[in-house]
Structure formats: structure tokens, C-alpha cells
Amino acid sequence: MTTPPTSDPSRGIVGDRQLVAVQAFDIARLTAHAVPIVPETFIAVSGLGPKDDSNGSGKTSFLIAVSLLLADPQWRLETNGGRYASGILFRPEAAGVDQAHHASPVTHGYIVGVFAHPDDPATSPLTVWVRIATTAPYLQANWTEGLHVADAPTDHERSIQADALWRELGTRQILSARAMAERLYGTAPRCLTYLDTALRPPVPSLLSQQLTEMEPHDIGRSLIALSGMTPLLEDEEDLRGQALEHQINLDKAQTEHAQALLAEEQVMSGVRAREAARLSLQRGHEAWRRYLAASYRDAHHSDQRIAATMEEEKQAAATAAALVQEAEDHLNSLGSAAELATQEREARQTWSDAQHLARELSNKITELTTQQALLRSQRTTLLPQTQGWDGSGCATAATRLEQRQRDHAKTELQHAEAEDTVTRARTHLHNVEQGRSGQAGRAIDLLSEHRIPAHGLLDQLNVDEAARPEWEPRLAPWQDAIVVEPEHEDQARRLLHAALPGAQIISSDVGHERLPQGIHSTLKVSRFLGTLHERLTPSADGLAVRDRALALTVTGGFPTPLAGREAQLRQARADLAAAQQLATEATESVTAATAALTLAKTQHAAAQAAEELARLSTQEKGLQTKIDELAGRVNKTARDEQELQQTWKEALARHASHEQLLANAKLTLEGASKALKERHRNLAVLERQRSQAAASQWQLHWGGTLEDAVHFLDQAPDQARSSRPAALRRQAEDGLRRAYEHYGIDGTPGADIGQDLRAGEEMMQTFADTDPAGLPALTFTDVTAPLDNRLAGHRDQDEVAAARVTHDQHAREQAIAELATGVATSARNLETLQDMIEKHLDGLFAQISAAFNALDLRSEGHGAKLEHISVRPQGAGDWQWQVIPRWKRSRSGGYVSYRENANSAQVKVHAILLVLAALLADSQTQGRVLILDELGNSLGEVNRKDMLAALRDVARDQHLTILGTCQDSVLADAADVCGELLWFVHASAADIINQPTTAWAFDSNGARTQLTEDWITAGRAHA
């Protein structure tokens, strides 16, 4: 065994070689005899099964074996590892083998194919072996140059020989199911099939009648594969993958650059923050120095102004003290008027008491008058309610009202019961009309839900009048019985067992028998009625029937007929009429009771109103008596109040003259004393203000003269100049706070900032809480010392970090620019390739469309075409070519889509034509195989012949092999055009395996015939 020379990867190891023979081992019922294949022709596959037609002959099993040998894409070997293929191995149950043979299922089998080049078959043969197993690995393939086949004389010996030949191939070249297709046959499919088999999941294909289930992009992908153009799309996918990889690298670099920028920004933000903190501290120091100068300046000016004001206040205090002494002397010269004041106060109090009493009496009269008016209003309201009063007392009227209410409730209850009786009677009448009355009706409804016909016994029986005394006692116990057909009895019993316990089910007679005399019915219940007639005999007096075995007596005497729908209808209508009459009478009783209740309510309300009017009249008389009494007291109190007022006025006049002199003297003394106290307070305030100004202490903090402070303030820049110390102090505090904020300290409790900065933060808080006008307890230098030390330690590190970040950013930007150039180049190259592929495939689809139209016209169609759209991929998706086949259904009609409703024959014809058109457009079809199962079954006679002729022509012109199974109706037409006929025979279900496969063919290539002659004839008795 030698390795063949390197061939075109798109054609695989087999290359342009053609399949010339196939051998199967333990595959279904096929024998191990080699089967010749004549390439470049249409091969008809048929046979004879146990039922004298081709069904069950094994022809489809052979085609399945060929499709596995050639790695048909529909097996999807690249995804399932050939698991579905194991179903083709011999299994007695699937083969229909009688158990008497004791045949066992096999665990593995082989499919062998020999391939040869048509130009030099003898020097170029290649043998491919495919091993199929019931356990993993389910499918493996191997190959070797030359003939490597089983040619023992018997079928059993060849099966044993097959295992040895497989082992001889070795393991170096074994191919998995995933790699088999591409390694052996290349990227274009070597075999395309439509197989009617359950061994693999059905997949719509161009060769099946499920063309209408395929999406346009699936059709486009299939046509591209058939035409051998798949490598172009794979090249494009590889180049697109490279372009995507370049883009991914660029995106990754840009992402890493962005992430690095974020990290570097964190570093630089720290550097910038510390520099900003240094600048803020510097501005704070400058503002603090200006604050000290301005505070000393303002303190000096305040001290001078306060000293002058204190001298003026001292002189004013001396003048105020002299005026106080003079006012005291004048007050002491006036006498006391205490007795006059006491008399005036007592008279005023007596008069006030008299006024209070007069107001209380007046308010009481007003209250009583209001109550009297309210009583009169109530009387006015109650008088209309006494109209129609019959003089009865409240107790009598209440008793009468309760009686009327009880009467009314009773009539309403009776009316409701009458209405319920009418409803039940009406429902019963409806059920009788439908043959659904009573328990029997519920049973019939339940069975009808399960489509079981049933009838009520008494509903369908009619008893003559003369037979009633004898039959009605017999039928009375069976009023709820139903009749069902014998075949439904068991199911009816199961359904009614839980739903209607106690249900009576009568199974009808199988045939029609005569009913007892006096009984008429369409039901077949002669057996049941005859049994009743025998068991229940009339009594001597004719009033009952008796079952002696049960010691049971059933009495008769029914006033109305018991059986028959008409009799039941008459009784139901009579019951409904009687119920309606009772309902009418109940309605009239309710109306009368309602009127009596209304009258009783009116009389009761009138009696209550009359009783209330009597009570109000008594209350009104009592109020009038109280009002008259209070009016007399009010008149007397008014006279006393006038006399007491006059007495008070006289006492007030006597006291007023002396009191006025005394009040004037006191006012004068009070004013002078107040003025003196105000001067003393002003002097104390000025002393405190002078102490608070602390001009000498501020001079110590400033450390210079007043002229130095004024000059320093005048030299400040315009944006920082301020004459107010508080504003300058705030500028210093703001600079310190901003410095801490820039450094990253925001005052969060518990933050890990170090003991030194924690102490500095606490000093800053204390510093901020100090009054800006007071002398500072802490200097600005003391407060800023911790942060100043930290910033000084970071200065050198910050300069190094800034230089490093600048260098790294420049290097990354250069790398990103180079990657962007690579991405642009890849995109241009990809677009160029895509343009080329699109132009090439546009031409390919145009060729397929032309071939499709020519084939359709040749088969007496009216024209066909393809419409295609290229949907270029975005990203890693597939490039979709959406192809829509269209054809005309009439000469003058338009082109309709393949998805329009059409008969299956038309779809199958155009599906096969489309495959043939794709093959005609492919320049490398040599060695390909098409397999068509159930060929021509759905085609008319004309279409069938045209299609078979088209298959023959395409096979010859495109150097490909077409195998098609032909039922008996197709075989005659296929025999006229085929280049080979394979005949499979499974003559009897008693046979374990087929008879050897028979072939009728002529191969003009003698060298090819000689290559496989010995192998094919081995084991054949007639060879």
C-alpha cells in the first residue's frame, strides 16, 4: 500500500476517479457480492420483493450504502460521528427474519468502493473501506491504492475475509467520520441524494419534494456546493477571519490604551491634585498675611475712635446725675393719696360686678329663646306627619306594623318558591322534549360527551292504554334506565361508575326481535322486556306485579301514562301550567301584602309624630315660664348697674386731680434715672470694645508698623485685594480647605489618612471655628504644617511619574496607528476578494439559470429562471446567497416562486432540473454521483420520460453517475434510457438475506471492465 501523490485539495484523495464497483458486508439484507457500477450513465435500480413488486427488495438499502461510502452531506457526519449510519447494519427484527432462524444482529459491517480513472483504470485504482459499528466510533474510513477487496468463493468466507482486509489497512490513515468527506472527496460534495429513509433526520434538499421548505439562502448554498464553488467562499471566510482578527487586535489595543489612560489618569490626577494643593496653600499663606495687616490696621483705627467717644460719654453722664437729684427733691414734696385711690378701686369693682350679672341674665334669656324657637320648628316639621292618623297609640301601631312585615315576608317566600317550581317544571319539560329527563338524562349527557349514543328506556317506549295496568308496575323501577349498544356497554359502565353511582344500563339486542304485545319502541330491548314479562307476573286483582324469586311486589295505579315521550310531555306541560298558576297567585298575594305593609308603616309614623308633638308642647310651656321670670330680674339689674356707675364716676373725679401731680413728678424722675443708666452702659460697652480691638496684640501678630501694613495691603493684586479682614481670613481658610480637597481628604469620618493629616484636619476645623474678628489662637503656619510636609515629600516622585506617562502614551498611540493601517489594508483586500467572488457567482447563477430554463423547455415546460441576491456577511456570519427558483405554469403566464402552491410532481420535476442545471454549470463533475430514491413516482407519463432522458443526457455530458430507484410503473420507461440496470431480489420473507444482485449493463471501457471482472464474478454460480 502506497500513499498517492498530492492531488487537488478541492477533489480530495479520490480526485477525478470514478466509482466502478461497490461491495457490502452485513449491511441490511444485502449479500457480500460485488456490484458493478458503470460511470457517466444513468443507472436504474429496481428489484423484486416478497409481495411480487419492488417493495422490500433491498434497493434502497444499497443506495443508502452508496451514499455512506461517498459521504453524502445529508448524513451530517461532521456533527454526529455517523451515529445514524449504524441503523443500516443487519438486524433480524428490522429485516423481518423469522425467529426460527435464530439470527443475531451484527455489531459492525463494511462498505467497500473501488474508484478508477476513466483514462487509465488499470494503473490508477483506489479502494475505500468504510467501517460501520453499533458503538462509538460509529463510522471510520480507510483507503489504499490498488484493489483491496474480498473475493472468497462464499458469502460467509467473504465476511470473514473483510475483517482481515480492514486490519491490513492499518491505523495510520484511518479517517474519522468528521474528516472522511473532505479528505477523500474534497470540499465539493461527491454525492447528493434524496433517500426515503428513517435512518437519519429528514433534511430538505434540492433532490427532495421538500424544496418548498428550503429557505432561499439554503438553496443558494446547495447550488454553490453542487457547482464546486464552496472553496471560494471558504477563502473569503478565511480572509474575513484575518480581517476580523486584525480588527479585534486593533479593538484590543484601543481598549488597553483606554484602560491604560484611565490608570494613568489616576496617577496624573494625583500629581495634578498635589500641585493644585501646593498652589492653594501658597495662596492661603498670602491671604493670611494680608489678613494680619488688615486686622492690625482696623484695630488701630477702632482704638482711636473709641477713646474719643468715651470722653464725650463721661461728660454726658455728669449732666444726667444732676437732673436725677433735682427730680427726687420735687417728688418728696408731694403728699400721699392712698385713701382716695382705695375708694375709687372699690366703686369700680362693684360697678363691674353689676355689669357681669346683667350680661349673664341676658345671655340666659337668649339661650331659652333659642330653645323655644327650636321646639316650634320641630312642631312645624311634625304636623304634616300626623295627617291620616287614626288615633291609635304607638304601641298598637308598632304591633300592627310587625304583623304586616311578617305577612309580607311570608308571601315573598311563597312567591320565590312558586317561581322555583315554575323553573324546575320548565327545565323538566325541556329535558323531556330532548329525551334527557331525570337520572337517565344526566347519564345520556355524560355519555354523549364521549360520543357514546344512549337513549332513555321509558322515553322511547309507548304502552297501549289496555296494557298499562300490566306493564307500568313492571317499568316503574326502570324510569332512570338507559339503553346503549353492546359494544359501548363496558365503556359506559366505566364512565358512569364514578360520575353517577347506581346508574341503570341496558344493553340493546343484537338483532331485531318482536316486542311484547302492547309495547311499541324503536329500541331493540325485546330481551329485557321479555325477561320482565317472565319474572314480574300480575297479581290476581291486577293491581300489582310480583317477582317471586325476589319476593318483590310493585304496585300499579299510575293516574297518568308512565312511558312514552308524548305521555311524559303531556304530564310535563300540565305540571308547568299548574306551577305557573300558583306563581301568578303568589304574585298577587305579594302585591296585597306590600300595600298592607305600606299602610301600617304610615300609621306607625303618624302615631309617633302625634306623641312627639304632645311632648314638645309641654316643654315649650315650661320654657316660657322661665323666660318671663328672667325678664323681671334683668330689668332690676339694669337699674342697679346705672346707680353703681354714677358712684364710681364721683370717686374717680376726687382722686384724679391729686394723682395727676404725683404722676408727673414720677415721670420726670424716671426719665432722668434712665438717661443716667444709659450713659453708664455706653461707657461699659466702649471699654469692652476698646479691649476687644486689641490694637497692641494685633501689632505683635503683624510684626510691623501701621505704615508697613497699609503699604502691604496696597501692593496686593487686584483679584486678591480686599479691605475687610473677615474676607481675607475666609480666603486663607478657603485656600487651606481646597489644598486638603485637592490632596484627596474630604473630611470623611474614619478615613485612613495618617495621624499627621488627621491632626492637621482637626486643627483646620478648630481654626475655621475661630471668630475672624478675634485674636488667632493658632497661626496659619501651624495649621498647614502637616500638609506642607506631605506635599514636599511627593514633589520628586510627581515629576518622574509625569514624564513616564507622557512617554508610554506616545508609544501606544504609535502602535494603534500601525494596527489601524493593517485593518484598513485587510478591509481593502477582503472587499476586493468579495467583489471578485460576487462577480464570479453572479456569472455562475446566470449559467445555472440559463441551464435551468433550457432543461425546463426541453421537458415541455414554459420557461424557468433563478433570481439571486447577495447578502454579504457582517462580522463572522455566513455569506448568504438568496436564490429563488421561478417557473411558468402556462405559456402566457408569469414566473411564480417555488413556494407558490403547486402539485408535488411539478415541485419534484423542477427540483431535479435545478440540480441538473447546477451540475451543467460545474466544470468539475467527473466522479460525482446522484442518488434519487422513488424516482418518478409523482411524475406524469410525459414528465417522467422527459426527466429520465434529461438524467441520461446530463450523466453523459457532465461525466457523472446517476442512480435512481424505479418502481414497477417507472421501470419500463427507465429501461429505455438507462445505461445499467441493477436488480435486487428478496424473494421470500423466509430468506434471511437477498439473492446475489443482478446487473445488466454495457461498459465501452474494456480496461475498466477487466479491472473488476474477477472480483465481481467471484462467488456467483453463473459466472
Side-chain angles (χ1 to χ4, degrees), residues 726-786:
L728 293 170
R729 166 113 178 188
R730 285 194 298 272
Q731 291 179 10
E733 292 175 357
D734 185 62
L736 177 58
R737 189 188 74 256
R738 288 181 180 277
Y740 269 89
E741 290 175 353
H742 288 311
Y743 194 75
I745 301 174
D746 57 3
T748 302
D752 185 13
I753 58 176
Q755 189 62 34
D756 57 339
L757 292 182
R758 179 66 68 190
E761 193 176 30
E762 292 174 354
M763 285 192 295
M764 182 176 66
Q765 184 61 43
T766 303
F767 183 74
D769 293 340
T770 304
D771 183 7
L775 292 169
L778 291 171
T779 67
F780 193 75
T781 301
D782 295 336
V783 177
T784 60

Side-chain angles (χ1 to χ4, degrees), residues 529-605:
L529 295 177
T531 303
L532 288 182
H533 184 270
E534 293 174 1
R535 295 187 59 174
L536 296 170
T537 59
S539 61
D541 56 6
L543 301 179
V545 293
R546 180 173 178 78
D547 186 338
R548 298 186 182 279
L550 293 176
L552 169 70
T553 299
V554 182
T555 62
F558 295 95
T560 59
L562 181 65
R565 183 176 297 182
E566 288 301 324
Q568 292 178 354
L569 283 174
R570 284 194 300 273
Q571 184 60 41
R573 293 187 183 110
D575 292 343
L576 175 59
Q580 289 174 333
Q581 178 61 32
L582 290 175
T584 301
E585 295 172 358
T587 301
E588 294 173 353
S589 297
V590 169
T591 302
T594 300
L597 176 61
T598 302
L599 179 59
K601 289 180 178 178
T602 302
Q603 288 296 328
H604 182 258

Side-chain angles (χ1 to χ4, degrees), residues 20 114-115 125-127 144-149 1010-1013 1015:
V20 297
V114 173
F115 298 83
L126 182 139
T127 305
T144 182
E145 290 286 339
L147 285 179
H148 187 74
V149 295
Q1010 294 173 1
L1011 173 67
T1012 61
E1013 179 181 1
W1015 174 39

Side-chain angles (χ1 to χ4, degrees), residues 286-326:
E286 294 172 355
W288 177 255
R289 185 65 179 161
R290 290 193 297 274
Y291 161 71
L292 294 177
S295 296
Y296 169 55
R297 178 200 62 193
D298 292 350
H300 177 78
H301 292 163
S302 296
D303 184 77
Q304 297 298 316
R305 185 182 68 256
I306 293 170
T309 304
M310 286 181 65
E311 186 62 30
E312 295 175 356
E313 287 294 327
K314 289 178 181 179
Q315 295 177 2
T319 302
L323 292 176
V324 169
Q325 186 61 46
E326 182 180 349

Side-chain angles (χ1 to χ4, degrees), residues 114-174:
V114 173
F115 298 83
H117 198 283
D119 297 335
D120 192 6
T123 60
S124 65
L126 182 139
T127 305
V128 173
W129 280 68
V130 176
R131 185 181 188 274
I132 302 169
T134 57
T135 59
Y138 298 103
L139 188 145
Q140 294 177 300
N142 211 331
W143 55 272
T144 182
E145 290 286 339
L147 285 179
H148 187 74
V149 295
D151 54 3
T154 67
D155 202 70
H156 179 67
E157 291 174 333
R158 285 192 294 274
S159 296
I160 297 174
Q161 187 182 8
D163 288 329
L165 291 171
W166 171 261
R167 289 191 296 270
E168 289 176 8
L169 291 173
T171 59
R172 186 172 61 87
Q173 297 179 152
I174 286 183

